[in-house]
């Protein structure tokens, strides 16, 4: 039982096997980390473009919705909407109504931005998938490679959501 050629770690292996002679660390040259942008520059470039499109999705909508929100609230406050709509606005002229209108526009903006980001991701997904196939890699591999890369944060969020729905 106390074989001098077997270490404590070898005790988990069958009697005829040993970990001696195995170098599980290897040389630094064998395990040198190559960043994704250096190893697959075309893929990384496509991902940067996709990330930028996802990040910019819905940015114009915030200005449009903000303008519409202010216009409606000012229109109610100044009674501009009373004549065209034929509604009495005296009961609507309160901060509570303005707050509800603003909350409504925030919800609409949030929903639209989420939709726009997903649409931008879907437009870019096919080109990224084609490049991954060319490199013989998968989306889970890609997600592991870009984890923590701030320049690809928006893409990583969409990719995580996409992989979550694929595996359910």
């Amino acid at each position: 039982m106390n074989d001098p050629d077997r270490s404590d770690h070898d005790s988990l292996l069958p009697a005829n096997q040993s970990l001696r002679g195995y170098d599980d660390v290897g040389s630094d040259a064998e395990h040198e980390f190559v960043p994704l942008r250096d190893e697959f520059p075309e893929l990384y470039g496509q991902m940067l473009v996709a990330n930028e499109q996802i990040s910019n999705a819905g940015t114009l909508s915030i200005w449009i919705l903000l303008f519409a929100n202010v216009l409606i609230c000012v229109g109610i406050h100044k009674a501009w909407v009373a004549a065209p709509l034929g509604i009495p606005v005296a009961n609507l002229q309160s901060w509570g109504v303005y707050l509800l209108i603003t909350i409504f526009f925030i919800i609409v903006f949030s929903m639209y931005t989420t939709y726009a980001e997903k649409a931008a991701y879907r437009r870019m997904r096919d080109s990224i998938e084609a490049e991954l196939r060319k490199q013989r890699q998968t989306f889970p591999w890609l997600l592991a490679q870009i984890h923590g890369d701030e320049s690809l944060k928006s893409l990583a969020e969409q990719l995580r959501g996409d992989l979550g729905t694929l595996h359910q």
Side-chain angles (χ1 to χ4, degrees):
M1 201 79 189
N2 288 337
D3 187 354
D5 289 334
R6 290 175 58 91
S7 70
D8 290 339
H9 300 289
D10 291 336
S11 63
L12 300 174
L13 296 172
N16 61 348
Q17 292 181 353
S18 170
L19 290 176
R20 278 191 204 283
Y22 288 98
D23 183 12
D24 60 335
V25 176
S27 69
D28 289 340
E30 284 180 45
H31 300 289
E32 184 176 328
F33 175 72
V34 179
L36 184 67
R37 68 179 171 272
D38 295 340
E39 190 172 358
F40 303 107
E42 189 172 323
L43 174 62
Y44 194 77
Q46 285 180 346
M47 292 187 318
L48 286 173
V49 168
N51 189 76
E52 193 65 25
Q53 288 183 0
I54 292 167
S55 295
N56 291 335
T59 39
L60 180 61
S61 67
I62 191 166
W63 296 109
I64 293 169
L65 291 172
L66 180 64
F67 179 72
N69 181 46
V70 169
L71 189 63
I72 289 172
C73 289
V74 169
I76 290 172
H77 189 71
K78 296 289 187 178
W80 295 338
V81 294
L85 297 179
I87 57 171
V89 293
N91 294 337
L92 298 176
Q93 294 173 332
S94 71
W95 290 108
V97 172
Y98 304 145
L99 181 62
L100 287 175
I101 292 170
T102 302
I103 289 171
F104 170 77
F105 276 101
I106 289 171
I107 291 169
V108 168
F109 170 71
S110 175
M111 290 170 52
Y112 176 76
T113 301
T114 300
Y115 170 78
E117 288 174 350
K118 288 181 185 212
Y121 169 72
R122 281 192 302 271
R123 283 192 304 271
M124 296 299 295
R125 186 180 193 279
D126 292 339
S127 64
I128 292 172
E129 186 173 22
E131 186 63 28
L132 280 173
R133 281 193 190 129
K134 195 165 82 174
Q135 303 299 336
R136 295 189 172 146
Q137 300 298 343
T138 63
F139 276 111
W141 171 85
L142 179 63
L143 185 58
Q145 294 297 311
I146 66 174
H147 178 73
D149 188 341
E150 286 298 315
S151 61
L152 298 172
K153 184 178 180 182
S154 297
L155 177 63
E157 288 173 7
Q158 292 297 321
L159 188 56
R160 273 192 298 274
D162 194 21
L163 288 175
T165 59
L166 289 175
H167 295 293
Q168 289 181 353

